[in-house]
C-alpha cells in the first residue's frame, strides 16, 4: 500500500501541564493592556476539578475487543480474546492495582499526565510533520487590514493582551456551558467568584457548567522545547520581555513589554516590524532553523556544539522569547499552498521548538504552528479564537496608522550565531533530510457545497459520525479493507486530562460501509438509513465514553508504561500482532469548528497512513509517500496530532 498522510482541520484534543500561579504584570488596568477583565479569576476552578478516572480493567478489555472485532478475522480475534482474558486475570490485574495505588498517591495530577509528557519528550523523531500541527486564521473581515505589517502588528498586540490577561488572572476561565442561559451570565459569575476555589467546580456543576483544565496555558508564552539526549526538556522563562522575529532565516529580537510589564505602544511594535521587513539581507548560507527539524538526539548534540562555540546567550534569547513571529516574503496561493506553508514551510523561517510560531505571509494570511509536547489543541484554539476576535474587533493599529518615530536600528537586535564546520555540516544534513521528507508529502482538500452539519442534525444523526463513516467507506472503496482508525477526544473536563481515543472503525461502520460500497442494491433505502443511524448511535456512545475518560487506549498505554518502569517483561497482550496493528493508525482523524479558523492540519502518524481533518463543510488531506520508514514510531502512532 502506498504510504499516505492525511491532513485534517483541527482536532478536539486537549493539553496537560503543570498549573502555574497567576502573576500580575502591572498593577493598574490601563486601556489596551488586557484582552479580558474577567471577574472570575482565570484559575478559579483549577483546584476543584475532578480527577481523571482510571477505567475498570474489565471495561478496558471489553472495549479493546470491540475495537479489534472489525479489524481481525475469526482466528485472529479468538487469539486476541484469549490474550485479553489471560491479561485481565494475570499480570494485567496486578499492573492495574499498582496503577490505581500509584494514582491515589498523586492526587495533584492525572494518571496519564506523566507518561504522556514522557511519550512526547522521549520521542527522538523530528517534531516537524511527526508532531507539530497548525491552525490558520480566517482573513481579517476588513480586507485593508490584511496588509502584512498591519496584521502582524495587530495579532502581536492581541497576543500580548492575551498574555497579560492570563498572567493577571483576568482571562475568562475555560468553561463548557451545557445551559448557558443559566451559567454564562453576569449573575452566575458574580456568585461563583465568591465560592472558594476548592469548591468552585461543584458550584458550576449545579448549573450544568463544566470548567475545563487550564494547566497547560502557562506554557503558551516564553516557552521552548529544548533538545536533550534521550529526553527533551520544556523550558519557560516568564520574565523575558522580548519577541523573536524570523524573516528569510534571520533572527531579530526586540522588547514588547517594558520594565513594568506593560505592552509597549503598538506604533513602536509596528515601527520595529517595518524595520525588519525593510532588511534587504540575503538569506544566510546556513539557516540555523533547519536544526529544529532534525532527529532530537542529533539536534541535541549540535546544540551542545553551538553552546560550546559561544552561542549560549544567543540561544537563550531565542528560547526565552515571548513567542516567535515568522514573516514570510511570499503570498499564499490557495488552501494547499497555505497548508504546506503553515505545516512545514521551507525549513528556514520557523523555530519548530518554540511553543508556537505566529506566521504571517506577505498577503497577511496568518496561522499558528505549535509544538505539541507542552500541550494539546484546546489551549491553542482558545488563544487563536481570542486573538482573532480581539485583533479584528479592537485592532491596535489601522492601515493608516503611522509607525512611531523611533530608532528601530537600536531597539531591534539582529542575532548572529558562531557556526563551526561541524554545525555547518549538521545544518546541511538537516536541510537535505527536511527537503527529502517534505517531498513525500502530498496535500489535497475537498470542499462540500451541499449538506453540512445542520442538515445532518435535522436527520437526527451526528455530523461527526457521518464524516467518520465516509472515511471508512472511502478507504474500503479504495483499498478493500477496514483499518485502524484514530479520532482524538479531549478529557479536559478533568484535572490534567489530556486526550482519549475514539475508535471510529466498528462492526457497525464495517457493515454499513460494505453495504454501501459492495452491495447497495441488496438493501432498501430504509435499511441503509437504519445502518447509518446505528453507526451514529454507537459513535456517540464512544464519544461520550472517551470524553469521560472511559476509553481503552490511555489505560493500556499507562499499564504498559508502568510495566516498563518496574522492569517487568512486556505482557503477551502487547506482543500480539493485533495490538501493534490497532496502534498503527492508518486513518488518523479529527474535526474542528471555530469561527476564527480557516483550516488546520497535521501530518499522518504512520508512513502508509492518512491524516484526515474535517471542518464544517470541508476535509483537507495529506499523503506521504513511503520513504520515511523509521520516522513514525509505534508510540506516536498511538496518538493523534490535534492541532
Amino acid at each position: 500500500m502506498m504510504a499516505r498522510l492525511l491532513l485534517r482541520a483541527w482536532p478536539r484534543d486537549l493539553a496537560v501541564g503543570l498549573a502555574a500561579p497567576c502573576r500580575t504584570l502591572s498593577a493598574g488596568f490601563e486601556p489596551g493592556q488586557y484582552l479580558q477583565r474577567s471577574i472570575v479569576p482565570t484559575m478559579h476552578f483549577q483546584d476543584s476539578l475532578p480527577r481523571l478516572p482510571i477505567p475498570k480493567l474489565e471495561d478496558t478489555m471489553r472495549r479493546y475487543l470491540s475495537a479489534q472485532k472489525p479489524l481481525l478475522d475469526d482466528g485472529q480475534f479468538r487469539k486476541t480474546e484469549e490474550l485479553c482474558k489471560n491479561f485481565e486475570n494475570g499480570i494485567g490485574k496486578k499492573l492495574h492495582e499498582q496503577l490505581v495505588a500509584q494514582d491515589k498517591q498523586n492526587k495533584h495530577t492525572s494518571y496519564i499526565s506523566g507518561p504522556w509528557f514522557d511519550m512526547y519528550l522521549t520521542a527522538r523523531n523530528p517534531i516537524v510533520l511527526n508532531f507539530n500541527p497548525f491552525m490558520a486564521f480566517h482573513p481579517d473581515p476588513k480586507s485593508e487590514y490584511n496588509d502584512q505589517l498591519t496584521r502582524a502588528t495587530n495579532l502581536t498586540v492581541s497576543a500580548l493582551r492575551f498574555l497579560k490577561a492570563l498572567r493577571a488572572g483576568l482571562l475568562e476561565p475555560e468553561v463548557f456551558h451545557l445551559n448557558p442561559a443559566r451559567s454564562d451570565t453576569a449573575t452566575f459569575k458574580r456568585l461563583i467568584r465568591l465560592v472558594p476555589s476548592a469548591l468552585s467546580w461543584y458550584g458550576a456543576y449545579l448549573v450544568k457548567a463544566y470548567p475545563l483544565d487550564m494547566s497547560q496555558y502557562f506554557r503558551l508564552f516564553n516557552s521552548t522545547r529544548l533538545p536533550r539526549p534521550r529526553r527533551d526538556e520544556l523550558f519557560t522563562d516568564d520574565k523575558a520581555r522580548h519577541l523573536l522575529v524570523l524573516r528569510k532565516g534571520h533572527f531579530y529580537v526586540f522588547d514588547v513589554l517594558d520594565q513594568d510589564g506593560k505592552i509597549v505602544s503598538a506604533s513602536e511594535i509596528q515601527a520595529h516590524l517595518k524595520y525588519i521587513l525593510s532588511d534587504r539581507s540575503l538569506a544566510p548560507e546556513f539557516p540555523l532553523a533547519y536544526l529544529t527539524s532534525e532527529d532530537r538526539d542529533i539536534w541535541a548534540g549540535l546544540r551542545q556544539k553551538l553552546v560550546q562555540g559561544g552561542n549560549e546567550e544567543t540561544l537563550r534569547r531565542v528560547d526565552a522569547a515571548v513567542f516567535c513571529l515568522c514573516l514570510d516574503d511570499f503570498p499564499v496561493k490557495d488552501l494547499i499552498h497555505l497548508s504546506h506553508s503553515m505545516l512545514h514551510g521551507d525549513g528556514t523561517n520557523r523555530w519548530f521548538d518554540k511553543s508556537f510560531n505566529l506566521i504571517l505571509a506577505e498577503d497577511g494570511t496568518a496561522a499558528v504552528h505549535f509544538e505539541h509536547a507542552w500541550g494539546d489543541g484546546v489551549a491553542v484554539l482558545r488563544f487563536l479564537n481570542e486573538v482573532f476576535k480581539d485583533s479584528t474587533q479592537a485592532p491596535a493599529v489601522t492601515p493608516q496608522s503611522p509607525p512611531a518615530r523611533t530608532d528601530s536600528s537600536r531597539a531591534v537586535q539582529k542575532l548572529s550565531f558562531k557556526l563551526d564546520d561541524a554545525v555547518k555540516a549538521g545544518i546541511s544534513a538537516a536541510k537535505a533530510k527536511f527537503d527529502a521528507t517534505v517531498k513525500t508529502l502530498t496535500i489535497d482538500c475537498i470542499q462540500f457545497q451541499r449538506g453540512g452539519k445542520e442538515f445532518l442534525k435535522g436527520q437526527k444523526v451526528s455530523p461527526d459520525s457521518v464524516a467518520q463513516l465516509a472515511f471508512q467507506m472511502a478507504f474500503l472503496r479504495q483499498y478493500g479493507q477496514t483499518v485502524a482508525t484514530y479520532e482524538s477526544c479531549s478529557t479536559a473536563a478533568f484535572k490534567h486530562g489530556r486526550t482519549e481515543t475514539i475508535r471510529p472503525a466498528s462492526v457497525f461502520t464495517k457493515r454499513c460501509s460494505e453495504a454501501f460500497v459492495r452491495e447497495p442494491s441488496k438493501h432498501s433505502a430504509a435499511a441503509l438509513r437504519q445502518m447509518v443511524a446505528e453507526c451514529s448511535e454507537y459513535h456517540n456512545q464512544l464519544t461520550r465514553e472517551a470524553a469521560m475518560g472511559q476509553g481503552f487506549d490511555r489505560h493500556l498505554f499507562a499499564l504498559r508504561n508502568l510495566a516498563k518502569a518496574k522492569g517487568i517483561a512486556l505482557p503477551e497482550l502487547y506482543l500480539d500482532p493485533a495490538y501493534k496493528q490497532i496502534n498503527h493508525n492508518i486513518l488518523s482523524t479529527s474535526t474542528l469548528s471555530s469561527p476564527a479558523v480557516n483550516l488546520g492540519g497535521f501530518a499522518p502518524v504512520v508512513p502508509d497512513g492518512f491524516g484526515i481533518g474535517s471542518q464544517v463543510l470541508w476535509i483537507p488531506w495529506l499523503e506521504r509517500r513511503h520513504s520515511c520508514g523509521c520516522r513514525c514510531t509505534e508510540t506516536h502512532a498511538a496518538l493523534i496530532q490535534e492541532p
Side-chain angles (χ1 to χ4, degrees), residues 37-94:
R37 294 179 183 176
S38 173
I39 62 173
V40 181
T42 305
M43 306 300 283
H44 186 57
F45 300 103
Q46 192 67 28
D47 289 344
S48 59
L49 286 173
R51 301 193 64 227
L52 182 69
I54 299 176
K56 295 179 180 178
L57 185 58
E58 57 267 31
D59 290 341
T60 288
M61 292 294 95
R62 173 178 52 80
R63 292 173 180 135
Y64 174 67
L65 286 172
S66 294
Q68 288 283 16
K69 188 71 173 175
L71 308 179
L72 305 175
D73 62 31
D74 290 343
Q76 292 169 330
F77 185 79
R78 283 194 295 271
K79 178 184 175 183
T80 297
E81 192 174 32
E82 185 64 27
L83 290 173
C84 285
K85 290 179 181 177
N86 294 339
F87 183 78
E88 182 180 343
N89 297 320
I91 185 61
K93 182 178 181 180
K94 295 179 181 178

Side-chain angles (χ1 to χ4, degrees), residues 332-345:
V332 167
K333 300 173 184 176
D334 51 36
L335 291 177
I336 295 172
H337 182 221
L338 186 155
S339 298
H340 278 297
S341 298
M342 305 311 181
L343 184 64
H344 55 76

Side-chain angles (χ1 to χ4, degrees), residues 516-560:
F516 272 90
V517 172
R518 292 177 173 167
E519 45 188 26
S521 61
K522 294 184 179 180
H523 303 275
S524 66
L528 293 172
R529 185 186 182 100
Q530 179 60 29
M531 290 184 202
V532 173
E534 290 173 351
C535 291
S536 177
E537 183 178 352
Y538 187 65
H539 189 80
N540 286 342
Q541 175 189 325
L542 293 178
T543 302
R544 287 192 298 269
E545 290 175 349
M548 296 305 294
Q550 295 296 315
F552 68 83
D553 281 84
R554 299 300 177 267
H555 189 192
L556 288 180
F557 175 84
L559 294 175
R560 178 176 180 169

Side-chain angles (χ1 to χ4, degrees), residues 24 43 60 250 310 360 571 575 610 619:
T24 302
M43 306 300 283
T60 288
H250 296 288
L360 270 293
L575 300 174
F610 291 89
I619 301 170

